[in-house]
Amino acid sequence: MTWVYPFNTDEPVDRDILGGKGAGLVEMRRAGFPVPPGFVISTSACLAYTAAHGVAPEELWDEVAVGIASLESVTGKTFGGATDPLLLSVRSGAAVSMPGMMDTVLNLGLNDTTVEALAKQTGDSDFAWQSYRRFVHMFGEIVFRVPSERLSAAVATAHGSAEPDAASDQVATARLKMIIEGHASRPVPQDPVEQLHLAIAAVFDSWDGRRAVDYRRVHGISDALGTAVSVQTMVFGNSGKGSGTGVAFTRDPGTGERKMYGEYLDNAQGEDVVAGIRTPLSLDVMATEMPDVHQQLLDISGRLESHYRDMQDIEFTVERGKLWMLQTRSGKRSARAAIRIAVELFDEKIISREEAVLRVTPDRLEELLHPVVHASTDDVVLARGLAASPGGASGVVVFDADEAVELAEEGKKVVLVRHETSPDDFHGMVAAQAIVTTRGGVTSHAAVVARGMGKSCVVGCEDIEVDYAEQLFHTPKAEITKGDWVTVDGTTGAVYLGEVETVSPELDDNYSTLMGWADEFRELAVRANADTPVDAARARELGAEGIGLCRSEHMFFGDDRTAAMREMIMAPNAIARADALTQLAPLQAKDYAGIFEAMDGFPVTVRLLDPPLHEFLPDRHETIMEITNLKLRLRKASSLEAINTLLGRINELETVLDRIERLSEANPMLGHRGCRLGIAYPEITEMQARAIFTAAVQCADKGIAVFPEVMVPLVAFESEFVSQSALVRETAEKVFAELGASVDYAVGTMIELPRAALVAGRIAEHAEFFSFGTNDLTQSTVGLSRDDAGRFLPGYIRRGLIDADPFRSIDREGVGELVSIGVERGRKTKPDLKIGVCGEHGGDPSSVAFFHEIGLDYVSSSPFRVPIARLAAAHVSLQSRTSSDA
């Protein structure tokens, strides 16, 4: 195996072997750009080093020695030479760009002898000793892991208030050596070869450093890639007048404007720009001070963009008037810039429409759809949790849903903070600008509801300790009381003290153009999960082609509706239950009519009532406390009227408490819910079906194209579906007969239990469509509560036990296999069976790819993830075509 590749290699350029930085350097050198000579140590060497627990292959050092000899021949310098020393930079570079996540060592090869040689050769002892001091500092920090603060403090003490010079840098270097040797129990090596070996090993080690690992987790980069190492002849931007260093983008990475964008520092090394030691200057200043070099940089940047057919991020150094290119790579950019650049590169006939669509990562679209928090270094982060719903919002803290509504009605912005939320908090969540919970994961109630409404949400925020009694919460940074302002960043998971600036999104023509292309290329239809006419209208604006999940239980919340539901639950018999439900039918019909109108011409899938009935009853603990307080008041009551009033209320609450006790379950999510409710209380199913079909006929009479799909939830047995679907159809015929008109409709089921997937063939004999509810299917397959898994699943991911949160991205081997079985068996019975997915996975790009592969007809996601699903569906379609063509 070859471990080392010179920059002038004739081998094909393979980023997986050479890494992004190394591949860019080889290509630039091959194209005739001014690149300092060097060589690349392959990613394979890093993987071999890691596999051997920190021992590099012996052949590697032999090949490195050959590489050094070649550089000595090309440059005429000697590594460790006492007259004209060869100095090197050692930089990391993975196949996928990970800016700033791994380590670099500059000025390698300096020692007590070569520093004097460098001073004599350049005639500048200040420069030579500054370079040596920088090397020792960097070597101690990167190789021997000495805390940077200790090293920086020693340098500051040596320099004092005066400008650094050779004398003060000699003192600083001596102090650095002492600190490093004391910390590492070994000195900074004087032997340049030993320096090089240790630096290369340190860069390998940085691949598994915490920041690099965390970056890979966030961006979905494989741990198996490894990093390459670029060993390159040093060029010095800190070598006096006419020297400098900088970073340039061939287009503005924030806006996408076609104009070179960047900054530079005169008389500085590359790390100075990144470290923020000095304030960089605009490239416009460089155009004035170094016009020839600036023009050369412009020409090279244009050639690089044409060669790579994409916006480039360039690092460069100017050494005494000569421009050197140190790196080029595809530049990181904002979502808005990514879209503009992709569209304009097509307009410039550089890339195709297909390539333009593939250039924009689906997840990045979230940046465009939610307000963005613009935090500064002065803003205080109170706590961090799981980023559950993107966007930023500020408001005053409240701990009660009713109070959130009251303050919102007064025109105040509020942030609802809870241990966790339940359906009883829904009205408060609607009123709030953002939601924070101390418990729960990214598919908890708070997370799912917030995403559906496009509200910022942070969950699992364990640094927050809520005290409901005192109406405050504690964090390590501050104590926050009710009424204090906070800002929630659902994109990053941060909760800030006070009101932090947010910027509202705007969708421009470039966005519309790119998404139009995506819609042409995708094969999967994309629907939305929406429960209100407002959500449905927003979903259509974002490109939804129907409703894949309307959760009818969300329509039952609100003072008037909850009261009617409670009356139904407390009813002593079926007749009384039916009377209570009669109050709800017109309210639901109005909701459905609004959704059908918003989705004119597109299907709407309504899921029958699903939550446990006890959720509509008052809280057990609060009921007991109220009974206790009333009994205490009863003891003190003196008038007969007061006694009778108190006794009446106590009896009423005790009846409610008895009902709560009888409805309580050890595990409500696997208890009396879904189709089981409709079977136990057919009045509920009948009322909902009547509301759906009444609204459908009324809308059709107005010329609205409506196609309702009634979905029976939580079916485990074929007989459950047969029973409920028969009741739905019977009710539909009654409504049609009463109204003298009819509409086409379908009755299907939600496959969300393993047994349903396994017997899908039999269920398909009766169902007209399937929709996979992957949230509950994941819970019931993996045996995890999605509300509790957030407490420990992140640790699983950090330790590499699993690749991703199964509630965020489909577990292909487990849950995905059940979905595949359900699809296969369902379509074996009914080849034209319409099948979709309505779990949270419907908006996850990786999951969308899986659903495309197994032949689903559509995916459904929260409204604000519809564009992401559209673009992800286009990506997988285009990638499938490319694979088949190959």
Side-chain angles (χ1 to χ4, degrees), residues 218-230:
V218 171
H219 294 278
I221 300 171
S222 171
D223 290 334
L225 295 177
T227 183
V229 181
S230 297

Side-chain angles (χ1 to χ4, degrees), residues 621-639:
H621 177 71
E622 291 177 358
T623 304
I624 292 173
M625 290 299 296
E626 186 174 353
I627 292 172
T628 301
N629 290 332
L630 288 171
K631 287 181 176 179
L632 290 174
R633 290 172 57 190
L634 182 62
R635 292 178 185 175
K636 300 176 181 179
S638 56
S639 70

Side-chain angles (χ1 to χ4, degrees), residues 39 162 212 227 238 256 367 383 462-463 480 483 541 571 596 606 650 654 660 691 700 705 712 737 739 755 792 837:
F39 56 85
T227 183
N238 60 331
E367 294 176 29
E462 296 181 350
D463 284 341
I480 305 299
E541 291 173 7
F596 290 145
V606 179
I650 290 170
E654 286 181 338
I660 292 172
V712 181
L739 299 179
R755 190 180 193 281
F792 58 86
V837 62

Side-chain angles (χ1 to χ4, degrees), residues 21-290:
K21 188 188 300 289
L25 289 166
V26 169
E27 283 199 64
M28 284 196 293
R29 181 85 172 180
R30 189 174 292 175
F33 293 107
V35 175
F39 56 85
V40 184
I41 300 170
S42 72
T43 57
S44 302
C46 175
L47 296 175
Y49 172 90
T50 302
H53 305 290
V55 178
E58 194 59 41
E59 303 87 352
L60 170 63
W61 303 128
D62 295 336
E63 293 187 29
V64 167
V66 172
I68 293 296
S70 176
L71 292 183
E72 290 176 328
S73 175
V74 169
T75 62
K77 300 175 182 287
T78 303
F79 195 43
T83 55
D84 192 3
L86 173 66
L87 303 179
L88 303 172
S89 65
V90 180
R91 300 173 184 264
S92 62
V96 179
S97 177
M98 297 170 56
M101 294 302 109
M102 292 177 292
D103 293 328
T104 293
V105 178
L106 303 179
N107 305 328
L108 190 140
L110 282 172
N111 57 27
D112 295 346
T113 300
T114 55
V115 66
E116 298 294 351
L118 183 63
K120 184 176 181 180
Q121 179 193 31
T122 60
D124 189 343
S125 59
D126 288 350
F127 160 70
W129 276 98
Q130 179 197 91
S131 299
Y132 191 22
R133 183 256 301 166
R134 285 172 176 266
F135 164 69
V136 172
H137 187 152
M138 192 173 284
F139 195 90
E141 179 182 349
I142 302 304
V143 177
F144 290 149
R145 303 299 175 190
V146 183
S148 180
E149 297 79 11
R150 289 190 63 192
L151 301 175
S152 297
V155 173
T157 301
H159 287 163
S161 58
E163 281 293 316
D165 57 13
S168 62
D169 272 325
Q170 286 185 52
V171 173
T173 302
R175 290 184 177 179
L176 289 173
K177 288 179 179 179
M178 290 175 61
I179 292 171
I180 293 167
E181 185 168 1
H183 180 92
S185 299
R186 60 186 297 188
V188 175
Q190 290 290 300
D191 178 8
V193 174
E194 185 181 358
Q195 292 176 2
L196 181 59
H197 289 191
L198 290 172
I200 291 169
V203 174
F204 285 160
D205 288 333
S206 71
W207 172 254
D208 287 321
R210 179 174 179 179
R211 61 186 177 184
V213 171
D214 289 345
Y215 186 91
R216 292 200 295 275
R217 293 289 177 268
V218 171
H219 294 278
I221 300 171
S222 171
D223 290 334
L225 295 177
T227 183
V229 181
S230 297
V231 178
Q232 192 170 19
T233 304
M234 279 295 301
V235 288
F236 295 96
N238 60 331
S239 54
K241 187 175 181 181
S243 300
T245 188
V247 176
F249 294 84
T250 56
R251 304 191 187 216
D252 188 319
T255 67
E257 181 183 2
R258 191 183 181 186
K259 177 184 178 182
M260 191 166 72
Y261 173 97
E263 52 194 17
Y264 88 109
L265 281 172
D266 61 333
N267 196 26
Q269 285 197 327
E271 295 303 303
D272 296 345
V273 178
V274 179
I277 295 172
R278 291 162 49 196
T279 303
L281 303 171
S282 163
L283 290 179
D284 293 336
V285 177
M286 183 184 184
T288 301
E289 297 187 355
M290 301 181 187

Side-chain angles (χ1 to χ4, degrees), residues 477-498:
K477 295 288 183 66
E479 181 181 280
I480 305 299
T481 60
K482 184 179 72 174
D484 289 342
W485 276 81
V486 297
T487 298
V488 179
D489 188 349
T491 304
T492 66
V495 180
Y496 291 90
L497 176 65

